Amino acid sequence: MKGLWMKEVILLKTTIRMQGVILLIFAAMGIALKNLAYLAMMVMVMTGNVCVNSLTYDAMASWNSYAATFPLRRSSLISAKYVLLYVLVSGAAVVMLLVGIPFSQFAGITYGECAGTVAACWGMGLFSGSLNLLLCTKFGVKKAQTLAMLSFLAPFGCVMLLYYLTQKGIIDLGHVTERQLYLVIAGLAAATVACSLFFWRLSCRIFQKQDLT
């Protein structure tokens, strides 16, 4: 597993500059719009896209066929992708929570709103990324491109719509107490993690049955 992680880190280094430039562009747009949801959403999409890029590189290099000769379980090849997704999405969420401290003052919103927005985007990022990996494992990267795009856009579209409706006052959350809000966030986080772990297990089963020759 350590060797698989080293491979993922090396691949990440090859794209980190390009990802950094794109991130700066989205950061500037998020600041200009005073919209943390937009910025957090794009960060989560980018982190999930890193895992898809890794699968693309593996397919181009016939990596799975080569790795099948290694003295390790097949499931480790898929597990490495999911662990990478967990680390990147969770790390991005922590960074966005830190960014939310000055951003809340700049945008004139409470830090609780920022934290809730980041939590929602983290959940969507983890869910979409896990589903994306499952689709790519089942159908291959090329065939799953359209479905993978929908797996990213649909959940994040829901988050953006909810954010817009609350900002415009169409959905009033003023009567919701902090305790109730935290309970809802905790429940959604638990459900997201459960779904992600299910997708992980299902991906491993699918990959076990695939012919890598």
Side-chain angles (χ1 to χ4, degrees):
M1 181 65 76
K2 182 179 179 181
L4 295 176
W5 257 98
M6 290 297 295
K7 180 187 77 71
E8 299 299 339
V9 171
I10 292 172
L11 286 177
L12 183 60
K13 287 181 179 178
T14 62
T15 60
I16 194 168
R17 290 185 180 180
M18 182 179 295
Q19 298 284 352
V21 172
I22 297 174
L23 180 59
L24 288 176
I25 295 174
F26 285 127
M29 294 178 65
I31 293 173
L33 297 172
K34 293 185 178 181
N35 191 331
L36 184 65
Y38 176 82
L39 177 57
M41 178 189 72
M42 296 313 301
V43 169
M44 297 304 171
V45 169
M46 289 175 60
T47 54
N49 193 46
V50 168
C51 299
V52 177
N53 288 339
S54 176
L55 287 172
T56 303
Y57 286 131
D58 288 353
M60 292 173 58
S62 299
W63 164 256
N64 289 336
S65 298
Y66 175 67
T69 63
F70 295 167
L72 48 78
R73 293 182 299 176
R74 275 193 175 191
S75 59
S76 299
L77 300 176
I78 295 298
S79 296
K81 308 295 183 185
Y82 276 90
V83 173
L84 176 66
L85 175 69
Y86 277 46
V87 171
L88 291 178
V89 171
S90 299
V94 171
V95 172
M96 291 308 304
L97 286 174
L98 296 176
V99 171
I101 297 175
F103 193 94
S104 60
Q105 301 296 324
F106 169 74
I109 58 178
T110 64
Y111 183 71
E113 290 180 83
C114 289
T117 300
V118 172
C121 290
W122 169 84
M124 292 299 98
L126 187 60
F127 179 85
S128 298
S130 300
L131 179 58
N132 200 354
L133 287 175
L134 173 61
L135 293 173
C136 290
T137 302
K138 175 63 176 179
F139 302 107
V141 177
K142 291 183 179 180
K143 292 182 180 180
Q145 283 181 346
T146 302
L147 292 174
M149 184 65 67
L150 290 176
S151 74
F152 275 123
L153 294 181
F156 283 110
C158 293
V159 172
M160 290 299 294
L161 178 61
L162 179 61
Y163 180 84
Y164 175 80
L165 294 177
T166 54
Q167 290 297 306
K168 294 297 182 180
I170 299 175
I171 295 180
D172 184 16
L173 299 179
H175 63 282
V176 179
T177 64
E178 285 192 9
R179 184 173 183 275
Q180 291 174 330
L181 181 61
Y182 290 146
L183 287 175
V184 170
I185 292 176
L188 291 175
T192 299
V193 172
C195 289
S196 178
L197 292 174
F198 172 74
F199 293 153
W200 182 349
R201 185 176 181 84
L202 187 57
S203 296
C204 290
R205 288 187 176 182
I206 292 172
F207 191 72
Q208 289 277 13
K209 299 178 181 179
Q210 289 180 348
D211 183 11
L212 300 182
T213 58

